[in-house]
Every structure is written in structure tokens, then in C-alpha cells.
């Protein structure tokens, strides 16, 4: 930007294109060190975040926010030094700032305040990355530097995926041996596919740039080479290797949506290139894609056989083949193409015809092979596609319920169970824009429409405004296509919930905003507008720097307190698991103090207090958790169990019914409801209220009928899509039903429920309870020998069960 170095010579500002280039280079050379540090800070953010689980989880996002705030302050300070005080310079600046503000607005109506705060963190992070990129990336060279960082990160992610598949490193969910899907550090194969597919477009652009900027190999190496070898350009070989590796893992991700987006956008990418670059780019796709396809097929076969050395050998051979094909392409360009210069149209036509014949032949072969068609239909995962349509349909229903306020950040994750037509479990909508609409209402959706509209408008202006600058034009096209690839796949998946991917997208937005504000080549009109803007220059008085500093400090403190809270929560969980209840409670109190919006510390505190016998404190903490997390049925299950322990039957039943209302297709809520009824029945037995106890057992025994009636309302089509257990009795529910039968003196039906429950329950405590009640039922039936054997079995699980059985025998049964 021309205002970076003031004052400027009059001759530098007056005449046309050459003068503007001279001014820019003077400015770039005069860039303060702090701005260079900020630039590489942004680069580090893009380089490393993919390796922190794709920055999907809040704890990593807090740390990234702190780092981004430091980079933001350095950028603001550097701009203050160069007298660049404008905070807004492009319409995207306003729209990107609106992202965290919209989430802040929706947080006031959030159904889970902790998740809402986390979304504010994420979108603040995106704004900071965008704003820094828009200020620091104003030239083709700067943009390409950041793009190369993104490219290098993708190569690392690809290598991590291969290393995980071969057992060199261990990434949870980084590789699925059942179907051979690679997920790498993103832990989700579809996002990995979308990311690598977009970066392959970027790699193709970088390969073309390397071809267009020839560099002789004999000028790089310190020793002599034969003339034919020394004339080779080494840089395209590096990108050929990198692109082959990326394509290999892209294919290994087996992400159908990513394949579809790539199949649509790569031809579009070719159309936007200069005419002379389209055929080379198409050949580059073929000469990297073919080795990648063979390498990944043989790699996965070797991995399935656990022959990991052979698997890596196949990858290596694929890279070697790609390099040889690049060599053949160079040989053709240097020695064959000049002799065919007069036959360019025939060469182009032949290339297109070859591509069409190859595609047609593949389709014809597949059409005549039933097994291939069946495998293709299986691979398309039509079932998954229908699921995603239903996710989005449920999301739209939620938007209709709260169109102006949304449900707050994380609203889908918190409340979607209440809107389901059939059961499924997903924390994400699998459609980013639908999820944003759920969280922020119509405002968020309109904001994203505006963001994409202004971004594409900016790209259009830059692309058509650089007709005389092929390098700048190609860069703008590549940045646009990579961004569109990421944004298009996010229509039907949750890629942008992984902040590492979203950071790349919004940094690309920032690049175009920065290029729109300045660059290597400016028209005289742009230069004139820049000079007019400078006429409004006001000497800095420190107020702006103070404001930037205060904002950065506020963001750092915000992120730091959230990170500390998460740390104390994790510490408390470890202490509670080890039996240190007092230490766990102390850590949880600190966690709740640092992040009052998070319901989880209060939930854990309630459980800890209940374990210690402090039911009053447990109830208070559970109520606080439920107020912060209004649609999570687990909060109400906890409240129901505490209220039952406090002998408050009306409250206990209300909370248990509330949990069912919030997740009416989740069998666990019915199991918890029946358990609450049985607990209340036992309380009534202890007080000698047999009629009340029998009434509670009636309600417990009615739960299976309620489940059956609810299942009747599910259509046949929805039943085919149902995920997880159906609404039918499982061991936990059968335990409650068996206890209810015992309380009523119905011992034979009790045995029929308790015996299978005892055999199938996994929890030792629940298994012991089922065994004890089965002992009681057997004794009441006069089967003392069987009862004795079962009692010994219960004592092996826990010696204290003997005393508990004596308590059961003393109950005044039946009711």
C-alpha cells in the first residue's frame, strides 16, 4: 500500500503503471520488522493447525485464538508505525467482523451458553486471520508465499495419513481399517478429501507457475550436468511429487462428496486459465492422477495384509513414476513440441478426444459389468446422502422455530434430538450453512450469502482487471477456485466446523481483499483513488493503537480464561476418576469460576456432591447445569436421580419426563425414566406406602408400551434410515422392569426380565443389582439352591452385595 512509506517522491506518484510498481517495491522494502513477524505468525497458524485434530475441539481453538490475537496486535502496531490507521478498507472487512458479532447476538438466546461461547471464539479467530491476511497480503508474491505454506501443510497432512495407516504414528480415527478410509489428523475422511482436493487445485496452480518461471537445473547445482539434463527446470518436479502425494491420499480418503466437487471444479479451474495453460494442466492431472490411483490401490491392499514396507514401496514407486512422466512431458516440450508448432489445433483436439475416449471406454466397461455397477452404487453411499438431506430438513425446522434469534452457537448439537423423525446421532448438521442458520437464524444465513457474494464480486473485478497481468490473473483465479472448492463441499458436510479448514478459507478471503487494496500492478485509476484516500490522512495520536491493544488484550484474556477452565475441568475429571473427590471438587470450582458459561463443570460438581452424599449442593449444581444447557436430556436425568434421592417424587418424575420429551427417540431416556419410577417405588416401600409404591411400579411397567406406541409413529421409510438402537427393552430397562415385578410379588415375570439382564449388562454394579434381585425372586419361588449360587456370584462382583441382599429381604413385599 502506497501509504506505508511517507513521504513519497512526486515522480513516484504521477505516472502510470511503471511508477506504481516502483512505489510498491519501495514500500515492501520499507515494511517494519513487526509486520514481517506478523506475516510469518499467520503462516505458522496455517501450517500447524491441521495437526491439532483439525482444530475441531474447543481446547485447541482457545490456544489458536490467543496466538491469533498476538499476530493481530503485531499487525495493528506495524500499521500504526507506517501511519495506516484505517480499520475497514473493503466491504469484506465489515462482513467478517459481523460473523463474531452475529454469534454474540445469538448467544443471548442460546440453549447452551458454553457452546455459544465456543462459537464466538471460533468466529473471532476467523475474523482475526482474515483481517491480518487482508492487511499483509497485497502482492502476488506475498499471496503465493502463504499459498505455499497451505500447500506444505497439506503435504504434511497427507504424509500423516499414510503414516497412520501403516502404524508409524497413532492418530485416533486417522485410519479406518474396515473400509480403508484415510482421515489423517482431521479424523474425518470427508473433510480430509475436501481439503486435499482443494489443495490439489492450488498445487496445479503452483506447478503452472513453476513451469512459467523457468529455472535451469545446472544453475542450481554446484556441479556440471549434460546439456539436456542441465536445461531441465527442477521446480515443476517438486510440485509433481507433491501433487501426486496429495492426490494419492485424496483418493485414499474415499470421500464421495469431495470427488464430486473436484470433478465439477477442476474443469472450471481449467477454463479460467490462460489458453496456453489449459492443456498442460489437464496433462498434469493425468500424469499425477494415474500414478496416484495405482499407488493408493496397491497401498491399501498391502496395508490390509499388514505388509507396511510394501505399502510404502508402492507409494514411492508412484512418486517415481510421476517424476518420470514429468520428465517425459519436459522432453516433449523441449524437443517434440517445437517440431509440431504448426499442428497445435490437432494436438489440442487429440488431447480432448483422448480424454473423451478414455472416459467413454470406462463408462462402457462399467455398464457391461454388473459387479462393477453394484460396487459403484455401494461406494456412492446413497444411504448416507439421504441421511444428510434429513439432517438439513430437521435443521430447517429448527430455523423455522427461531428464525430471528437462532438457537445460539452449538444449538444443533444441543437441541436436534427434539426434532427428529427417526433416530440418529450427529453433533453436526453435515451442512455448514444450514448449521449456521440453526445457530444464528436468518441473520447468519444472509451474512454468509453476503460474504460469498462480495468475495465473488471482488474476485470478478480482480480477475477481469488483470487482463494485462497473467500472473496476477492466474493467482486470483486459483485463490477463487480453492475457496469455492472448500465452500461448496461445506454445503453438505461440516468441514468448516474444523477451524483449520475454515482458517484457510477465510485467509483466502483476506488475500483477495488485500489484493483489491493494492498490489504489484495498479491501474492509473486505482493509483488516483489511493492518492485521494491519502488526502484524508490524520496524524496518529495513539488512540487507535490503544484501542487495538485493548482489543488484543481482551481477546487474549478471553481465550486464556477459557483455556484455563478447560484445563481445570480435565484435571478434575482425572482426580474424580482416581477417587480424589475433594480435589476434583476444588478443581471444578475453579473451572466454573473461569468459565461461568460452561455447564459441564456444574454437571460434574453435581455428580461429585451426590457421590459424597451432599444432595442439596448436588441439586443446586445440577440445576445450574440445566439452566446453561437447556435441551440436553442428560442434565434432566441427573436432576431426576438427585430429586429421587431427596424423596421428591413429583420433581423427580417431572425431570425424567422432561428428558424423554427432549429426546423422544432415544431409548436411554426411557430406561432412565423407568429407573426413576422404580427408585420412587422403593422410597415409598421404605415409608410403608404400598399403594404409592404400586402406582410407581405401574408407571415403570408401562414404559415398554410407551416405547411401542412411539415406534408406531415412525414411518417405514424412516425406519430404514434409523441409526442406533430401536425403542425396545434392553438390559438396563429389563433390570428396572424386573425390580418392579419383584416389588409387586410377580416373581416368575421378574425372573424372565432379570435373568437376561444379568447376563447382558456390562456395568458391574448394575449386573450385581440384577443378580441380587434375581436371588430374591428365586428364594420367593422356593428355589433356595439356585438363589444361593446366584448370591455367591453377586459376592464375587462386590463383597458388599451380601449386606445389600439382607436389606432387600427385609423389605415388606409384595406391594
Amino acid at each position: 500500500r502506497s501509504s506505508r512509506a511517507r513521504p513519497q517522491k512526486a515522480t513516484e506518484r504521477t505516472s502510470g503503471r511503471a511508477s506504481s510498481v516502483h512505489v510498491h517495491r519501495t514500500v515492501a522494502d520499507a515494511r517494519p520488522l513487526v509486520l514481517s513477524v506478523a506475516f510469518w505468525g499467520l503462516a505458522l497458524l496455517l501450517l500447524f493447525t491441521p495437526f491439532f485434530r483439525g482444530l475441531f475441539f474447543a481446547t485447541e481453538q482457545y490456544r489458536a485464538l490467543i496466538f491469533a490475537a498476538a499476530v493481530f496486535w503485531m499487525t495493528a502496531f506495524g500499521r500504526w508505525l507506517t501511519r495506516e490507521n484505517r480499520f475497514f478498507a473493503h466491504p469484506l472487512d465489515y462482513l467478517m467482523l459481523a460473523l463474531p458479532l452475529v454469534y454474540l447476538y445469538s448467544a443471548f438466546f442460546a440453549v447452551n451458553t458454553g457452546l455459544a461461547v465456543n462459537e464466538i471464539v471460533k468466529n473471532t479467530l476467523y475474523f482475526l486471520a482474515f483481517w491480518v491476511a487482508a492487511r499483509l497480503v497485497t502482492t502476488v508474491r506475498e499471496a503465493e508465499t502463504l499459498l505455499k505454506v497451505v500447500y506444505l501443510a497439506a503435504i504434511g497432512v497427507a504424509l500423516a495419513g499414510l503414516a497412520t495407516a501403516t502404524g508409524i504414528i497413532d492418530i485416533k480415527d486417522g485410519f479406518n481399517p474396515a473400509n480403508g478410509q484415510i482421515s489423517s489428523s482431521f479424523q474425518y475422511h470427508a473433510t480430509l478429501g475436501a481439503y486435499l482436493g482443494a489443495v490439489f487445485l492450488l498445487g496445479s496452480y503452483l506447478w503452472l507457475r513453476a513451469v512459467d518461471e523457468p529455472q535451469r537445473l545446472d544453475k542450481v547445482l554446484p556441479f556440471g550436468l549434460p546439456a539436456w539434463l542441465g536445461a531441465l527446470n527442477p521446480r515443476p518436479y517438486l510440485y509433481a511429487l507433491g501433487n501426486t502425494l496429495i492426490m494419492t491420499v485424496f483418493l485414499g480418503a474415499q470421500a464421495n462428496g469431495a470427488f464430486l466437487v473436484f470433478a465439477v471444479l477442476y474443469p472450471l479451474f481449467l477454463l479460467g486459465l490462460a489458453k496456453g495453460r489449459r492443456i498442460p494442466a489437464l496433462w498434469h492431472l493425468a500424469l499425477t492422477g494415474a500414478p496416484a490411483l495405482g499407488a493408493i490401490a496397491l497401498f491399501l491392499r498391502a496395508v490390509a495384509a499388514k505388509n507396511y514396507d510394501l505399502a510404502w514401496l508402492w507409494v514411492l514407486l508412484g512418486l517415481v513414476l510421476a517424476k518420470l512422466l514429468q520428465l517425459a512431458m519436459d522432453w516433449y516440450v523441449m524437443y517434440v513440441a517445437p517440431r509440431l508448432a504448426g499442428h497445435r489445433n490437432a494436438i489440442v483436439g487429440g488431447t480432448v478426444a483422448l480424454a473423451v475416449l478414455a472416459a467413454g471406454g470406462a463408462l462402457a466397461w462399467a455398464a457391461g459389468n454388473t459387479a462393477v455397477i453394484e460396487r459403484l452404487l455401494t461406494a456412492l453411499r446413497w444411504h448416507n446422502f439421504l441421511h444428510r438431506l434429513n439432517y438439513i430438513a430437521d435443521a430447517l425446522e429448527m430455523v423455522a422455530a427461531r428464525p430471528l434469534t437462532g438457537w445460539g452457537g452449538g444449538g444443533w448439537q444441543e437441541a436436534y434430538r427434539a426434532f427428529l423423525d427417526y433416530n440418529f446421532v450427529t453433533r453436526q448438521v453435515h451442512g455448514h450453512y444450514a448449521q449456521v442458520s440453526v445457530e444464528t437464524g436468518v441473520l447468519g444465513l444472509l451474512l454468509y450469502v453476503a460474504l460469498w457474494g462480495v468475495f465473488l464480486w471482488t474476485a470478478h473485478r480482480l480477475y477481469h482487471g488483470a487482463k494485462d497481468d497473467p500472473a496476477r490473473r492466474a493467482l486470483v483465479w486459483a485463490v477463487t477456485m480453492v475457496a469455492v472448492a472448500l465452500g461448496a463441499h461445506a454445503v453438505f458436510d461440516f468441514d468448516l466446523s474444523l477451524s483449520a479448514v475454515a482458517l484457510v478459507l477465510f485467509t483466502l478471503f483476506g488475500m483477495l481483499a488485500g489484493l483489491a487494496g493494492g498490489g504489484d500492478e495498479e491501474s492509473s485509476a486505482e493509483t488516483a483513488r489511493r492518492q485521494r484516500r491519502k488526502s484524508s490522512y490524520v496524524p496518529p495520536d495513539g488512540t487507535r493503537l490503544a484501542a487495538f491493544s485493548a482489543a488484543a488484550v481482551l481477546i487474549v484474556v478471553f481465550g486464556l480464561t477459557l483455556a484455563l477452565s478447560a484445563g481445570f475441568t480435565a484435571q478434575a475429571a482425572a482426580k474424580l476418576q482416581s477417587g480424589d473427590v475433594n480435589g476434583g471438587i476444588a478443581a471444578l470450582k475453579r473451572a466454573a469460576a473461569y468459565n461461568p458459561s460452561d455447564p459441564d463443570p456444574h454437571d460434574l460438581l453435581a455428580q461429585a456432591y451426590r457421590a459424597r452424599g451432599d444432595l442439596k449442593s448436588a441439586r443446586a449444581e445440577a440445576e445450574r447445569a440445566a439452566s446453561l444447557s437447556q435441551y440436553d436430556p442428560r442434565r434432566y436425568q441427573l436432576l431426576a436421580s438427585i430429586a429421587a434421592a431427596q424423596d421428591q417424587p413429583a420433581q423427580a418424575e417431572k425431570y425424567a419426563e422432561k428428558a424423554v420429551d427432549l429426546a423422544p427417540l432415544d431409548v436411554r431416556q426411557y430406561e432412565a425414566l423407568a429407573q426413576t419410577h422404580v427408585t420412587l417405588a422403593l422410597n415409598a416401600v421404605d415409608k410403608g406406602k404400598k399403594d404409592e409404591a404400586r402406582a410407581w411400579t405401574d408407571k415403570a411397567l408401562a414404559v415398554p408400551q410407551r416405547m411401542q406406541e412411539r415406534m408406531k409413529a415412525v414411518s417405514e421409510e424412516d425406519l430404514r434410515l434409523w441409526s442406533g438402537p430401536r425403542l425396545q427393552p434392553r438390559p438396563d430397562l429389563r433390570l428396572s422392569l424386573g425390580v418392579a415385578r419383584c416389588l409387586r410379588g410377580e416373581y416368575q415375570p421378574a425372573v424372565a426380565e432379570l435373568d437376561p439382564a444379568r447376563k447382558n449388562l456390562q456395568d458391574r454394579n448394575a449386573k450385581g443389582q440384577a443378580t441380587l434381585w434375581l436371588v430374591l425372586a428365586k428364594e420367593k419361588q422356593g428355589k433356595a439352591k439356585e438363589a444361593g449360587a446366584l448370591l455367591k456370584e453377586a459376592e464375587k462382583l462386590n463383597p458388599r452385595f451380601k449386606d445389600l441382599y439382607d436389606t432387600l429381604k427385609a423389605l415388606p413385599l409384595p406391594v
Side-chain angles (χ1 to χ4, degrees):
R1 298 173 186 271
S2 56
S3 59
R4 285 181 183 163
R6 300 177 60 95
Q8 299 172 3
K9 295 179 182 179
T11 56
E12 292 175 343
R13 305 197 301 257
T14 54
S15 61
R17 175 173 158 187
S19 175
S20 70
V21 173
H22 176 69
V23 170
H24 179 78
R25 286 175 180 169
T26 302
V27 169
D29 293 340
R31 169 177 280 182
L33 176 62
V34 68
L35 287 179
S36 297
V37 174
F39 180 89
W40 288 108
L42 176 60
L44 289 175
L45 195 65
L46 296 173
L47 179 63
F48 289 113
T49 49
F51 303 99
F52 290 89
R53 299 186 291 182
L55 220 64
F56 179 75
F57 296 98
T59 50
E60 284 89 356
Q61 292 162 6
Y62 300 153
R63 301 186 187 104
L65 179 68
I66 294 168
F67 184 82
V71 174
F72 166 78
W73 181 85
M74 286 189 287
T75 305
F77 180 63
R79 287 170 56 79
W80 180 79
L81 290 176
T82 55
R83 306 298 187 262
E84 295 178 282
N85 295 317
R86 295 185 65 192
F87 187 80
F88 298 108
H90 190 276
L92 280 174
D93 294 338
Y94 298 93
L95 294 172
M96 283 300 302
L97 180 59
L99 262 184
L101 294 180
V102 164
Y103 271 93
L104 178 62
Y105 162 75
S106 69
F108 289 101
F109 311 95
V111 292
N112 186 314
T113 54
L115 295 177
V117 167
N118 290 342
E119 289 299 323
I120 295 172
V121 167
K122 288 167 60 174
N123 286 275
T124 302
L125 174 62
Y126 304 154
F127 168 73
L128 295 179
F130 163 85
W131 191 87
V132 170
R135 270 71 202 162
L136 299 183
V137 180
T138 57
T139 69
V140 170
R141 183 177 179 179
E142 291 162 344
E144 284 189 345
T145 299
L146 274 189
L147 292 177
K148 289 173 183 176
V149 170
V150 173
Y151 183 74
L152 184 61
I155 289 177
V157 169
L159 286 171
L162 298 176
T164 302
T166 52
I168 295 175
I169 61 176
D170 181 25
I171 299 176
K172 183 181 179 183
D173 300 324
F175 176 70
N176 186 345
N179 53 26
Q181 289 177 334
I182 299 174
S183 299
S184 190
S185 56
F186 288 121
Q187 300 179 309
Y188 179 51
H189 72 103
T191 297
L192 177 68
Y195 174 76
L196 293 181
V199 175
F200 185 86
L201 294 174
L202 171 58
S204 298
Y205 160 76
L206 294 173
W207 178 82
L208 286 171
R209 288 285 287 159
V211 170
D212 290 340
E213 296 182 352
Q215 181 183 47
R216 291 177 62 94
L217 184 59
D218 55 12
K219 299 296 184 183
V220 177
L221 299 176
F223 49 83
L225 292 171
W228 69 271
L229 184 59
L232 292 177
N233 181 0
R235 292 173 59 211
Y237 289 85
L238 297 177
Y239 289 115
L241 292 177
N243 289 347
T244 303
L245 179 64
I246 289 171
M247 178 57 72
T248 299
V249 182
F250 168 68
L251 295 171
Q254 302 178 47
N256 291 332
F259 293 161
L260 177 62
V261 169
F262 185 84
V264 172
L265 289 186
Y266 200 84
L268 186 59
F269 169 74
L270 294 177
L271 290 175
L273 298 175
K275 288 185 178 180
R277 313 319 299 147
R278 294 170 186 168
I279 295 300
L282 182 59
W283 275 108
H284 178 68
L285 172 63
L287 298 182
T288 54
L293 182 60
I296 193 60
L298 295 170
F299 173 87
L300 292 175
R301 185 181 300 175
V303 166
K306 299 190 181 300
N307 194 340
Y308 299 143
D309 291 338
L310 180 61
W312 278 105
L313 178 62
W314 288 124
V315 172
L316 181 61
L317 289 176
L319 297 178
V320 171
L321 178 58
K323 197 166 185 177
L324 291 175
L325 291 173
Q326 176 66 43
L327 180 63
M329 190 174 186
D330 278 352
W331 177 81
Y332 170 84
V333 169
M334 288 190 295
Y335 297 107
V336 179
R339 300 179 183 180
L340 301 176
H343 305 280
R344 182 180 179 277
N345 291 337
I347 294 171
V348 172
T351 299
V352 173
L354 183 62
V356 171
L357 284 174
L363 290 174
W365 173 75
N369 193 322
T370 307
V372 171
I373 294 176
E374 290 178 356
R375 289 185 63 184
L376 181 62
L377 291 175
T378 301
L380 287 175
R381 303 185 187 96
W382 178 253
H383 190 79
N384 289 353
F385 179 70
L386 292 178
H387 272 306
R388 296 182 186 212
L389 290 180
N390 281 285
Y391 298 164
I392 293 174
D394 290 332
L396 294 178
E397 187 178 348
M398 293 179 69
V399 174
R402 291 191 177 194
L404 299 180
T405 63
W407 295 74
W412 166 269
Q413 176 182 336
E414 178 75 8
Y416 77 96
R417 302 172 192 84
F419 290 83
L420 303 185
D421 294 322
Y422 66 91
N423 191 65
F424 57 80
V425 179
T426 175
R427 297 176 62 191
Q428 306 292 324
V429 177
H430 289 72
H432 181 73
Y433 309 109
Q435 183 155 322
V436 168
S437 302
V438 169
E439 294 173 340
T440 60
V442 176
L443 288 178
L445 179 61
L446 292 177
L447 177 57
Y448 260 91
V449 170
L451 272 168
W452 276 106
V454 174
F455 171 78
L456 294 174
W457 168 76
T458 303
H460 172 80
R461 288 185 64 247
L462 289 173
Y463 181 79
H464 290 284
K467 292 180 179 179
D468 299 327
D469 188 345
R472 185 178 176 88
R473 187 181 176 96
L475 170 73
V476 170
W477 184 246
V479 168
T480 303
M481 294 310 298
V482 173
V484 169
L486 294 174
H489 191 267
V491 171
F492 46 82
D493 222 320
F494 62 89
D495 312 317
L496 299 184
S497 293
L498 281 78
S499 293
V501 178
L503 279 171
V504 172
L505 175 65
F506 292 119
T507 298
L508 296 176
F509 276 41
M511 284 184 189
L512 285 200
L515 291 171
D520 300 300
E521 307 291 347
E522 298 179 2
S523 67
S524 57
E526 287 172 334
T527 303
R529 285 195 296 271
R530 202 167 304 286
Q531 299 307 313
R532 288 197 298 271
R533 285 202 297 268
K534 290 192 309 184
S535 65
S536 61
Y537 167 77
V538 177
D541 59 3
T543 303
R544 291 177 183 270
L545 179 61
F548 277 114
S549 300
V553 169
L554 182 63
I555 293 171
V556 168
V557 171
F558 178 52
L560 186 60
T561 55
L562 295 177
L564 287 172
S565 176
F568 284 125
T569 300
Q571 184 185 88
K575 287 181 178 294
L576 291 172
Q577 191 171 11
S578 66
D580 183 5
V581 177
N582 291 333
I585 288 174
L588 286 169
K589 286 181 177 179
R590 299 184 71 179
Y594 277 109
N595 185 2
S597 68
D598 189 358
D600 290 338
H602 297 285
D603 191 282
L604 290 172
L605 273 171
Q607 296 180 51
Y609 281 130
R610 183 181 62 176
R612 204 166 67 173
D614 186 353
L615 296 178
K616 182 178 180 181
S617 298
R619 178 73 171 272
E621 294 295 340
E623 288 176 345
R624 178 61 178 160
S627 70
L628 296 172
S629 176
Q630 302 167 22
Y631 272 73
D632 191 335
R634 295 173 303 169
R635 316 298 183 191
Y636 297 97
Q637 286 182 16
L638 179 59
L639 275 168
S641 67
I642 295 171
Q646 289 179 310
D647 196 19
Q648 296 181 0
Q651 291 294 308
E653 184 181 29
K654 181 186 77 171
Y655 290 132
E657 290 286 358
K658 176 73 171 178
V660 172
D661 291 341
L662 293 177
L665 300 179
D666 185 351
V667 67
R668 293 171 299 178
Q669 312 314 321
Y670 295 93
E671 291 168 350
L673 176 64
Q675 184 179 9
T676 299
H677 290 150
V678 168
T679 301
L680 296 175
L682 286 168
N683 291 346
V685 170
D686 284 338
K687 293 184 293 185
K689 299 180 178 179
K690 290 193 173 185
D691 290 340
E692 183 179 331
R694 189 170 184 87
W696 288 121
T697 61
D698 287 341
K699 290 187 176 183
L701 294 173
V703 168
Q705 181 63 29
R706 290 182 59 176
M707 295 164 64
Q708 186 178 0
E709 291 297 324
R710 186 63 187 83
M711 285 298 297
K712 287 180 180 178
V714 181
S715 68
E716 288 296 326
E717 180 181 352
D718 287 338
L719 280 176
R720 285 193 292 270
L721 294 171
W722 188 289
S723 298
R726 302 282 179 93
L727 296 186
Q728 56 191 16
R730 301 192 306 173
D732 287 296
L733 178 57
R734 302 194 79 170
L735 169 58
S736 297
L737 297 176
V739 174
R741 293 293 185 186
C742 280
L743 294 178
R744 298 163 69 93
E746 300 167 359
Y747 300 117
Q748 186 57 42
V751 170
E753 299 287 359
L754 292 169
D755 193 43
R758 175 183 65 89
K759 294 175 181 176
N760 294 296
L761 283 166
Q762 301 300 315
D763 181 74
R764 290 176 62 87
N765 185 53
K767 192 179 190 73
Q769 291 183 44
T771 305
L772 288 182
W773 283 101
L774 187 58
V775 171
L776 180 64
K778 292 289 186 180
E779 280 207 352
K780 295 291 187 179
Q781 288 180 311
K783 300 177 181 179
K785 186 176 181 180
E786 291 182 35
L790 288 169
L791 185 56
K792 290 179 181 179
E793 185 179 317
E795 289 184 85
K796 290 180 182 178
L797 292 172
N798 190 331
R800 291 182 299 175
F801 280 159
K802 176 65 171 64
D803 296 332
L804 180 57
Y805 178 67
D806 293 336
T807 303
L808 292 183
K809 284 203 304 183
L811 290 175
L813 301 180
V815 298

